[in-house]
Amino acid sequence: MGVNVTEAVNGISVIVCDSADDASKTTAELIANQLGQKPNSVLGLATGGTPLKTYQYLIEFNQSGRVSFRDATTFNLDEYIGLTGDHPQSYRSFMNEHLFSNVDIPIDQTYVPDGSTSNIDQHCRDYEALITDHGGIDLQLLGIGHNGHIAFNEPGSDSQSATRLVDLAANTIEQNSRFFDSPSEVPRQAITMGIATILKAKTIVLLATGSGKSDAVRAMLYGDIGPQMPASFLREHPNAIVVLDAAAAEGLPLNSAAS
Ligand code: PGA
């Protein structure tokens, strides 16, 4: 692993790593350290292509005895509307496959919104209450969309938003169609934690890798803070960390570059 460079940028700690692999391992280590300090941590978790390698590292750390999830509780950011948890493209299936079934977490300590609920508004209120009942999220893992979304808080989402039903942006549907047989199969709506839900986490770790994310990363760190760029609200959080590979950090006016 190369030397990672950490720099404070507009209130965010930015860690630039040589490669996506290094960035994923660094992110896994932040999560492992959280669990080491507080074994019954409440973790906020994310889906998508970005965190896959981080989850692989966490599985390795768990299987080698370095970290345990036995006393942890997890809350996922979002879920597609209309998919039951056992649908292969549901985020519940994603989490079971890529993390939960491979580590020592009891499955009843893992929460993902239910995209097949018959009462969406009540379910969203219950999800918020459940997070609060567990003492709030200690560490929230995030990715970032090409359009700057965090979870499914698309551009236009305000900083006071809570867990709710949202319409997905056209470019999100297009991006996520790679996981489905055709774009027409991608759900058009989702339940997502809100910006306010995310900002209540004690620590936030956003991971972005690949050159496709560099424009969104630059706008998050240096552009205006506001609903047009939901990830920019992380700059109002007291303990937000952004982990990047060199490609996602490309073009950033950092004082130093990854070695
Ligand atoms: P990705 O999605 O990890 O699949 O790129 C990230 C996101 O949309 O938040």
Side-chain angles (χ1 to χ4, degrees):
M1 191 148 60
V3 177
N4 298 333
V5 175
T6 306
E7 188 166 322
V9 178
N10 292 328
I12 294 184
S13 293
V14 179
I15 303 176
V16 182
C17 304
D18 287 349
S19 64
D21 189 63
D22 280 357
S24 301
K25 192 169 191 186
T26 297
T27 303
E29 281 168 347
L30 290 169
I31 296 169
N33 290 345
Q34 170 67 44
L35 286 168
Q37 282 163 20
K38 184 181 174 190
N40 65 344
S41 289
V42 178
L43 300 175
L45 297 178
T47 53
T50 308
L52 279 174
K53 203 75 210 274
T54 294
Y55 293 152
Q56 283 173 23
Y57 275 115
L58 285 172
I59 292 165
E60 267 182 50
F61 294 170
N62 183 237
Q63 292 179 351
S64 67
R66 176 171 164 188
V67 72
S68 174
F69 290 80
R70 206 176 313 114
D71 298 322
T73 302
T74 67
F75 286 92
N76 262 79
L77 287 167
D78 42 21
E79 179 61 283
Y80 288 120
I81 285 293
L83 302 192
T84 53
D86 58 1
H87 188 285
Q89 305 309 336
S90 73
Y91 286 165
R92 161 54 76 183
S93 291
F94 177 103
M95 292 307 301
N96 287 353
E97 180 183 344
H98 295 293
L99 185 67
F100 300 148
S101 62
N102 301 301
V103 295
D104 61 348
I105 193 162
I107 201 74
D108 62 355
Q109 289 166 212
T110 70
Y111 296 95
V112 180
D114 177 3
S116 64
T117 180
S118 56
N119 189 338
I120 294 171
D121 288 346
Q122 185 63 47
H123 184 67
C124 292
R125 282 194 295 274
D126 291 347
Y127 202 71
E128 287 278 336
L130 209 53
I131 294 171
T132 306
D133 290 349
H134 281 82
I137 291 169
D138 291 300
L139 185 153
Q140 175 67 59
L141 176 63
L142 294 177
I144 183 171
H146 291 77
N147 64 359
H149 72 200
I150 46 173
F152 278 134
N153 293 285
E154 303 286 20
S157 301
D158 76 70
S159 62
Q160 303 305 313
S161 52
T163 301
R164 67 201 188 286
L165 175 68
V166 291
D167 294 331
L168 302 185
N171 52 3
T172 298
I173 293 168
E174 192 192 312
Q175 287 293 330
N176 291 5
S177 67
R178 68 191 195 276
F179 299 112
F180 291 80
D181 288 338
S182 75
S184 64
E185 288 180 29
V186 185
R188 269 35 187 174
Q189 291 183 305
I191 292 173
T192 184
M193 281 189 202
I195 307 267
T197 323
I198 292 168
L199 292 181
K200 275 188 242 167
K202 295 173 188 78
T203 298
I204 297 176
V205 179
L206 183 147
L207 172 64
T209 55
S211 57
K213 297 291 173 69
S214 61
D215 287 347
V217 166
R218 191 176 335 106
M220 163 178 67
L221 294 174
Y222 296 97
D224 292 339
I225 297 177
Q228 80 293 340
M229 174 51 57
S232 64
F233 288 118
L234 264 54
R235 281 159 47 198
E236 297 180 338
H237 191 276
N239 195 18
I241 302 167
V242 168
V243 184
L244 305 172
D245 68 349
E250 179 94 44
L252 293 185
L254 297 172
N255 295 326
S256 42
S259 57

